[in-house]
Amino acid sequence: MKDTISRTFARYQRTFTEFTTGQKVVAVLGTAALLLAGFLVFRWAATPSYAPLFSNLSSKDAAAVIDKLDADGVSYKITNGGATVMVPKDQVYTSRIALSGAGLPSGSSEGGYSILDKQSLSTSQAQEQNNFKRAMEGELSKTLEALDGVQTAVVHLAIPKKQVFADSQDPATASVLIATRPGTTLSAEQVTSITNLVASSIDGLDPAKVTVTDSAGRMLSSGDGAAGTAASTRDQQVTDYQQQLNSRIQTMLDRVVGPGNSTVAVTANLDFDKSVTETKKYGYDKNNAPLSSTKSSEKYNGAGARSGLTGVVGPDGQMDSSGTANSGGNGVYEKSSETSDNAVDLTVERRENAPGSVRNLHVGVVLDAATARTIDSNVVQGLITSAVGINPARGDTVQVSTLPFDRTAEKAAKAELAAAAKADASSRQMSLLRNSGLVVLIALIVLLAWLKGRKRAKARAEATSYVVEQLRLDALERANAQPVETSAALLALESTEQSETEDMLDELAALVERQPEDVAALLRGWLVERP
């Protein structure tokens, strides 16, 4: 076995020494590449696949988990800023069970309701109130950290002592510090949710008394209640509304004049004042029966009664000269009256206008004169008026103008993009040509080495077969010329030297390849010689 390996190694060594410089370089590089690829594949196959063991761990729990894994000899990785611990996939469940048996992770950080568990009978009322405040702060912090996008939350509560009289009771307040995850921003709805969540957790806490601030020091909620929240998001509401109208108009114009041939500017004046209107209306239905009715009548028949009086009554109750009176003896006087109390309907209407209504709207549109020559600006103005609901009664305006556009920046950007694309294409083409040339060169080198090796192997095989044939013929001639004992001795000699035939053949093949003519001449000399 050892001799076979030595002969094989010696044969490979002789073959390598016979290579040219280019063939040696290709052989060395190819062998190194194969070894490197094998090493990488082995390393990839040997590397275990990791899976999360626990996520969102506190620093204390993460340290305890890592110590336990080190003690158990389990490999691990730490990701997500130390909040996630990963272990090999096939060890996730066993490690999780072992850590749970050890009480890890604890899930608490010396805060929350666990503080109340440490109270005793000797705890004073002030200390009890302080522990309650700390417990609520810890629980609220953990609750807020469960929200999407919130990485860390710190809550501070100011809960004053209860007073006997409600008028002298100081209000409770709260401040919240929020640290969001990288690339995450809290929306106005999320800030409102945080405010209401904290206010609902504390007895007597008004949402107007909750202040929310982010880690950069920006005020997310000023603590002024609904009005303060609306004021803090007023600019954002105006911007969103203007962008919505702008996008709607721009989309319509792009279909009419083409993309890039128009520009739109929208200015919206929104009313953020909260107004309440109360209206009272009184009504009467004649078909309804009156609530009460009174009738009275007077009738007199006797001396001094007057009837048929006409004219104007004077200051002393006497008729003027234009009046007539019957001054006869007996007269008749009659008077009647009727009073009815009817039911009156009362309708009270109360209207409350929410902030954010549109006071007036102004739209400005500019069309490119080079592409909008055949477009009537009045038609475009009518389309915009209908699309966004322009109301001239409230002062809305729409202005459509046709002006030449400055395309300098666009042309420069287009030229830069074209140059960059051309350079990129040229770079890719050069890289492709270089790689293709390298592949072709390596293929040619390998092909030439293979052809040359094949030619040498063929010549070696022919020369070796020729030499062997000559040796066989020489041996046969000598065996025929000598007695039988000599032939038997020759056969015994061949059997003893058979182990050395392969080495002799290798050396002889190399000699024949280098000097075939000299070897042939030497063999011919051997053949003509007689013992």
Side-chain angles (χ1 to χ4, degrees), residues 134-428:
R134 291 174 54 197
M136 292 304 300
E137 290 175 349
E139 290 297 324
L140 286 174
S141 298
K142 289 190 291 185
T143 302
L144 295 180
E145 289 174 357
L147 296 177
D148 187 18
V150 178
Q151 184 174 9
T152 306
V154 180
V155 180
H156 296 288
L157 300 175
I159 304 176
K161 294 179 60 177
K162 292 292 184 180
Q163 301 294 333
V164 178
F165 300 101
D167 295 340
S168 60
Q169 178 66 46
D170 295 330
T173 59
S175 60
V176 181
L177 177 63
I178 298 294
T180 58
R181 301 186 185 278
T184 304
T185 304
L186 296 180
S187 62
E189 292 78 5
Q190 289 177 309
V191 175
T192 304
S193 299
I194 292 174
T195 302
N196 293 331
L197 189 148
V198 174
S200 301
S201 303
I202 304 300
D203 184 20
L205 179 58
D206 188 359
K209 302 298 181 182
V210 179
T211 302
V212 182
T213 309
D214 63 1
S215 58
R218 292 187 295 267
M219 185 75 68
L220 303 180
S221 176
S222 60
D224 293 334
T229 304
S232 63
T233 59
R234 181 177 303 175
D235 295 338
Q236 185 64 36
Q237 291 181 7
V238 173
T239 302
D240 293 342
Y241 183 73
Q242 292 179 163
Q243 289 179 353
Q244 180 184 1
L245 295 182
N246 197 325
S247 176
R248 188 184 305 173
I249 298 173
Q250 190 66 60
T251 301
M252 181 183 64
L253 292 178
D254 289 343
R255 299 282 298 187
V256 176
V257 298
N261 296 323
S262 63
T263 181
V264 180
V266 177
T267 302
N269 184 11
L270 303 183
D271 186 6
F272 291 98
D273 296 334
K274 182 179 180 181
S275 60
V276 178
T277 304
E278 185 171 335
T279 305
K280 292 183 179 181
K281 295 181 179 179
Y282 296 92
Y284 165 64
D285 189 357
K286 296 181 179 180
N287 296 326
N288 294 334
L291 298 178
S292 61
S293 179
T294 303
K295 293 183 178 180
S296 63
S297 61
E298 295 180 5
K299 197 172 187 180
Y300 178 78
N301 188 2
R306 297 182 180 180
S307 62
L309 296 175
T310 60
V312 180
V313 180
D316 55 355
Q318 300 297 324
M319 298 294 294
D320 59 4
S321 59
S322 62
T324 60
N326 186 4
S327 59
N330 294 330
V332 178
Y333 169 75
E334 185 177 353
K335 177 183 177 182
S336 63
S337 64
E338 183 178 357
T339 303
S340 298
D341 294 333
N342 297 303
V344 178
D345 297 334
L346 175 62
T347 303
V348 179
E349 183 179 1
R350 190 174 186 274
R351 294 178 178 269
E352 182 174 344
N353 297 326
S357 60
V358 180
R359 287 181 177 175
N360 48 63
L361 191 63
H362 306 281
V363 180
V365 177
V366 180
L367 305 178
D368 187 11
T371 58
R373 296 176 180 176
T374 60
I375 297 177
D376 189 359
S377 59
N378 294 326
V379 175
V380 176
Q381 183 174 347
L383 291 175
I384 296 173
T385 301
S386 301
V388 298
I390 297 297
N391 186 7
R394 65 184 180 187
D396 297 352
T397 59
V398 177
Q399 180 66 36
V400 180
S401 303
T402 303
L403 299 173
F405 279 19
D406 184 8
R407 304 285 185 177
T408 305
E410 295 181 7
K411 293 180 179 178
K414 187 176 181 180
E416 290 179 0
L417 291 176
K422 185 177 180 181
D424 191 13
S426 177
S427 177
R428 289 197 301 268

Side-chain angles (χ1 to χ4, degrees), residues 419-435:
K422 185 177 180 181
D424 191 13
S426 177
S427 177
R428 289 197 301 268
Q429 186 177 4
M430 291 299 297
S431 178
L432 180 61
L433 292 176
R434 182 173 61 254
N435 296 335

